[in-house]
Amino acid sequence: MSLRYALLALLRVGPLSGYELQKQFSMSVGHVWHAPDSQIYPELRKMEAENLIEGEEQPRGQRATRRVYHVTEAGDRAFLEWMQTPLEYARVRDPAHLRAAYLEAASPETARAFFRRHTEQWEAELAQWEGELHRIAQVDNPMLVRRLAVTDPADRERTIAFKRFTYEGLVDRAHAEIAWARRGLELIDSLESEGGAGPVPNGPEPSAARA
Amino acid sequence: MSLRYALLALLRVGPLSGYELQKQFSMSVGHVWHAPDSQIYPELRKMEAENLIEGEEQPRGQRATRRVYHVTEAGDRAFLEWMQTPLEYARVRDPAHLRAAYLEAASPETARAFFRRHTEQWEAELAQWEGELHRIAQVDNPMLVRRLAVTDPADRERTIAFKRFTYEGLVDRAHAEIAWARRGLELIDSLESEGGAGPVPNGPEPSAARA
DNA sequence: AATTGCATGTAACAGGTTACATGATTGC
DNA sequence: GCAATCATGTAACCTGTTACATGCAATT
């Protein structure tokens, strides 16, 4: 259900074609809610069928057309209503922590590879999110600029503040995941160096800098 | 795909019926990978069809039976192979951060309700994970006890260490989410008190204790 | 003329959710 | 006799993924 609200959020700024929307999507809200074009086009059709948006065929060249969508009043209302409904949280389903819980079944090298991959993954996300944070600070994201242009001056600060705050949270999360992976590598080292020297059941963390 | 490996992880400790498995699941690996029983039973059948596990009908009372599953050699191999394959990371899809990014479209009170709900949600998760961490430290989780009983003494320390490490990561995450929500509430306060006093484009965080 | 970008989808499948459905056994 | 819990599923639906499929337009 979130996809349609992500789409409405973009369309509320102004009309866009499916293609434009899909491009804007990947450069803005796609950083928190990924969706491929094969999902976006059908969803737009469904939203149109439900009168949340309206599409207008526009000629393009001689033969081709494109469909430009704009939000209807019902769509605007639906978005605002969604903002007011309590968010539904998905049940935990975390493949990385699932695997981490059973790393004793892997060799130290395999376990290290896992944590290196985890670091790599989250560093890539971090780069995306930090980039976005930077573009927000510089007011240098095309979608954000368009949004501010149609926003009451009194609300511009809030608009920017919530975007920044969102990406700060994501950046923090990425840092936390990377730190966890680093501690994981340290844990493997310490388990290896201890070797068969007997268990240390409830000893302190090897070198994990946790409060 | 993760579900079957979560199930294999439990069954590798020893045979269990679907019902027992489902109970054990919710008390152990279910804390990182939720699955309802309506998903577990069919998955067990599928795994049996693929020879990863074998089920034995056991009589129970006069008429009833129960099906006790144990891991086959192929199942054991499949689990170990999975442990060695690089984890596939799902694309970002975060409803809370999606909504946070557009909170300027909500009233301050609605925005506060969102962050209070977020706090509540993660405090519930935190309680679960801290409880689990405590049970790991006390070696007081039935599944863990059974696991250690069939684990080479030399590997017991690692087994415990990785479980503890996993839940520590989750506890950290919960703390981070709660801290983010608290900063969100502070942000709303500061935006309200500033009122129409003009934007503070790139000013420091209101009172966010971030590095 | 060829490449890149614009533009829009369909189809098959995997995975997960919710609701529904049924009945036996054991302990009180 | 009744409740709890043991025990096992099916069906419909939703969301998302991957692969496939097509063709025009603008630029070089």
Side-chain angles (χ1 to χ4, degrees):
Chain A
M1 263 302 92
S2 289
L3 173 59
R4 74 170 44 185
Y5 298 105
L7 293 172
L8 281 176
L10 290 195
L11 283 176
R12 265 163 47 93
V13 172
L16 288 170
S17 73
Y19 185 81
E20 287 170 322
L21 190 52
Q22 182 232 111
K23 292 285 151 197
Q24 295 299 322
F25 196 93
S26 66
M27 289 191 304
S28 60
V29 67
H31 287 128
V32 293
W33 191 273
H34 168 81
D37 41 337
S38 68
Q39 206 188 351
I40 291 178
Y41 286 114
E43 183 65 23
L44 288 171
R45 289 287 182 173
K46 269 169 65 187
M47 288 162 73
E48 189 172 19
E50 293 175 45
N51 291 315
L52 302 177
I53 59 177
E54 249 172 44
E56 272 176 278
E57 286 289 329
Q58 282 186 356
R60 179 175 161 263
Q62 299 305 307
R63 271 174 291 276
T65 61
R66 58 185 214 145
R67 204 168 175 74
V68 176
Y69 292 99
H70 61 92
V71 178
T72 63
E73 210 232 295
D76 198 58
R77 228 177 316 120
F79 180 81
L80 265 9
E81 268 164 33
W82 173 74
M83 284 298 303
Q84 280 178 309
T85 60
L87 196 62
E88 281 178 42
Y89 286 82
R91 308 300 299 262
V92 186
R93 203 165 271 121
D94 185 326
H97 282 73
L98 170 62
R99 185 169 292 189
Y102 297 102
L103 278 179
E104 73 272 10
S107 69
E109 241 351 276
T110 298
R112 282 194 184 91
F114 165 75
F115 285 119
R116 282 194 292 258
R117 173 81 189 81
H118 195 74
T119 304
E120 198 184 278
Q121 170 69 21
W122 285 97
E123 271 175 356
E125 302 277 23
L126 178 60
Q128 293 290 311
W129 291 328
E130 277 186 334
E132 203 48 34
L133 207 42
H134 188 252
R135 280 185 289 280
I136 291 166
Q138 306 293 311
V139 194
D140 186 29
N141 175 306
M143 201 67 218
L144 179 57
V145 170
R146 292 184 63 208
R147 185 176 298 277
L148 292 175
V150 298
T151 300
D152 181 336
D155 284 333
R156 286 187 191 144
E157 183 193 357
R158 298 170 65 230
T159 301
I160 294 178
F162 283 122
K163 306 256 171 309
R164 195 192 331 165
F165 177 72
T166 299
Y167 283 97
E168 280 169 4
L170 293 170
V171 164
D172 286 351
R173 174 184 302 174
H175 282 307
E177 291 293 337
I178 292 165
W180 179 71
R182 183 181 40 69
R183 295 203 310 270
L185 291 171
E186 290 166 359
L187 173 59
I188 295 165
D189 287 346
S190 82
L191 286 170
E192 252 190 343
S193 66
E194 278 172 33
V200 184
N202 287 324
E205 259 78 273
S207 68
R210 300 181 69 250
Chain B
M1 263 301 91
S2 290
L3 174 58
R4 74 170 44 185
Y5 299 104
L7 293 171
L8 281 176
L10 289 196
L11 283 176
R12 265 164 46 93
V13 173
L16 288 170
S17 73
Y19 185 81
E20 287 170 323
L21 190 52
Q22 183 233 110
K23 292 286 151 196
Q24 295 300 323
F25 196 93
S26 65
M27 288 191 305
S28 60
V29 68
H31 288 128
V32 292
W33 192 273
H34 168 80
D37 42 337
S38 68
Q39 207 188 350
I40 290 178
Y41 286 114
E43 183 66 23
L44 288 170
R45 288 289 182 171
K46 268 169 65 186
M47 289 163 71
E48 188 172 19
E50 294 176 43
N51 291 314
L52 302 177
I53 60 178
E54 249 172 44
E56 273 176 278
E57 287 288 330
Q58 282 187 359
R60 182 176 157 264
Q62 300 304 309
R63 269 174 292 277
T65 60
R66 57 185 216 146
R67 204 168 174 75
V68 176
Y69 292 99
H70 60 93
V71 178
T72 62
E73 209 233 295
D76 199 58
R77 231 179 311 124
F79 181 81
L80 266 10
E81 268 163 34
W82 173 74
M83 284 299 302
Q84 280 178 308
T85 60
L87 197 62
E88 280 177 43
Y89 286 82
R91 309 299 300 261
V92 185
R93 205 166 269 121
D94 185 326
H97 282 74
L98 171 62
R99 183 168 294 188
Y102 297 101
L103 279 179
E104 74 272 9
S107 70
E109 241 350 277
T110 298
R112 281 196 184 91
F114 166 74
F115 285 118
R116 282 194 292 258
R117 174 80 189 81
H118 195 74
T119 304
E120 198 183 278
Q121 170 69 22
W122 285 98
E123 268 174 358
E125 303 277 22
L126 178 61
Q128 293 290 310
W129 291 328
E130 277 184 334
E132 204 48 34
L133 207 42
H134 188 252
R135 279 185 290 280
I136 290 166
Q138 306 294 310
V139 195
D140 187 28
N141 175 307
M143 201 68 217
L144 179 57
V145 170
R146 292 183 63 208
R147 184 176 298 277
L148 292 175
V150 297
T151 300
D152 181 336
D155 285 333
R156 285 186 192 146
E157 184 193 357
R158 299 170 64 230
T159 301
I160 294 177
F162 284 120
K163 306 256 170 311
R164 195 194 328 166
F165 177 72
T166 298
Y167 283 96
E168 280 170 2
L170 293 169
V171 165
D172 286 352
R173 173 183 303 174
H175 282 306
E177 292 293 337
I178 293 164
W180 179 71
R182 184 180 38 69
R183 295 203 310 270
L185 291 171
E186 290 166 358
L187 173 61
I188 296 165
D189 287 347
S190 81
L191 286 170
E192 251 189 346
S193 66
E194 277 171 33
V200 184
N202 285 326
E205 258 78 275
S207 68
R210 300 181 68 250

